[in-house]
Amino acid sequence: MIAYFSVALAALFVSCLTFYSGFGLGTMLMPVFALFFPVQSAVAATAMVHGANNILKVFVVGKHADRGVVLRFGLPAMLAAFAGAAALGYAARFAPVATYTVGSFPASITPLKLLIAGLMVIFAMFELVPKLSSLRIDRKYLVLGGLLSGFFGGFSGNQGALRATFLTKMDLSTEAFVGSNAMIAFMVDVARITVYGMVFWLSPETAGLTAGQAPLIVTGGIAAFAGTLLGKQFLHKITMNYVKNLTGALLLLIAVLLGAGLV
């Protein structure tokens, strides 16, 4: 029951809060799943919830997407997501580098956890450090931005903040920004879920998702749907700075716990 409550609450809150920011759901939900799944399986489970939620977003706001941005950024991101997801499958094979206990709680530090924790710290800095937060990238680097965002999205699910850094340079309207974000994120989700399915469900060498974990994923998906609908209706007045600061602070906390092997 605690697992269902934790996943549902996290998915509802973060999906609601980040509807307009275009990032945050996958980043914040993955560590919650990691409390109950192996890290690599938590990334895959989060991708399923993230992908289902983005289907809803595409129906709600996809019509406002900027076609040129989606093609120049989204297609490279989708291709790079295949590589990132495959890299996750490779990294998941490495054994823990250290194990210990905190009271009766077992902790395990693995190369994969350290890598994802490091990525979280980097992306947290993009939210919390003013110079990095205000960084804008010229539109001529859209393809490069898509490749980087897609790869990290496939590897750890941390793609939205980097994507937002590039897209805010485009001077898009709020509707076009949200719609383009939804379309690109959905494209990345399609790519990485395809690879996760082959690596974590079909490979006997990794701990994949089991039938017993499926209801937890469905719970997260339903809660994320509800959060998206609430976000569209009620949270349009929340400032981007509030979302960025909250996301950055939580990212740092989660990175510390993950890097220490406590998640």
Side-chain angles (χ1 to χ4, degrees), residues 116-179:
I116 294 180
L119 289 174
M120 285 187 168
V121 170
I122 292 172
F123 285 109
M125 293 299 101
F126 274 93
E127 312 307 327
L128 297 175
V129 178
K131 286 187 178 180
L132 293 177
S133 179
S134 60
L135 181 65
R136 298 294 180 263
I137 311 297
D138 192 275
R139 66 170 54 237
K140 68 182 180 180
Y141 297 112
L142 269 180
V143 174
L144 175 62
L147 291 172
L148 291 173
S149 175
F151 180 84
F152 289 123
F155 184 77
S156 68
N158 301 120
Q159 56 168 314
L162 184 58
R163 184 176 62 246
T165 299
F166 280 86
L167 296 192
T168 48
K169 180 64 178 178
M170 302 299 103
D171 295 323
L172 301 172
S173 66
T174 299
E175 292 80 7
F177 179 80
V178 175

Side-chain angles (χ1 to χ4, degrees), residues 97 111 161 232:
V97 295
K232 185 176 186 297

Side-chain angles (χ1 to χ4, degrees), residues 28-208:
M28 301 309 302
L29 188 58
M30 188 280 290
V32 179
F33 273 122
L35 294 173
F36 312 105
F37 297 1
V39 172
Q40 67 273 15
S41 297
V43 174
T46 303
M48 294 177 66
V49 174
H50 195 268
N53 191 54
N54 276 321
I55 292 175
L56 176 62
K57 278 190 176 183
V58 167
F59 276 107
V60 174
V61 297
K63 63 184 177 181
H64 301 298
D66 184 292
R67 181 176 299 180
V69 170
V70 170
L71 290 176
R72 292 182 62 192
F73 192 99
L75 287 180
M78 187 176 186
L79 293 175
F82 284 107
L88 173 66
Y90 176 76
R93 301 170 187 267
F94 288 93
V97 295
T99 58
Y100 63 99
T101 59
V102 178
S104 59
F105 183 82
S108 175
I109 301 175
T110 66
L112 179 59
K113 288 183 179 181
L114 291 173
L115 280 171
I116 294 180
L119 289 174
M120 285 187 168
V121 170
I122 292 172
F123 285 109
M125 293 299 101
F126 274 93
E127 312 307 327
L128 297 175
V129 178
K131 286 187 178 180
L132 293 177
S133 179
S134 60
L135 181 65
R136 298 294 180 263
I137 311 297
D138 192 275
R139 66 170 54 237
K140 68 182 180 180
Y141 297 112
L142 269 180
V143 174
L144 175 62
L147 291 172
L148 291 173
S149 175
F151 180 84
F152 289 123
F155 184 77
S156 68
N158 301 120
Q159 56 168 314
L162 184 58
R163 184 176 62 246
T165 299
F166 280 86
L167 296 192
T168 48
K169 180 64 178 178
M170 302 299 103
D171 295 323
L172 301 172
S173 66
T174 299
E175 292 80 7
F177 179 80
V178 175
S180 300
N181 255 315
M183 289 293 295
I184 295 168
F186 173 70
M187 294 166 69
V188 171
D189 285 337
V190 169
R192 63 189 182 129
I193 289 173
T194 299
V195 178
Y196 295 157
M198 293 187 292
V199 172
F200 299 127
W201 281 298
L202 301 181
S203 173
E205 299 179 4
T206 56

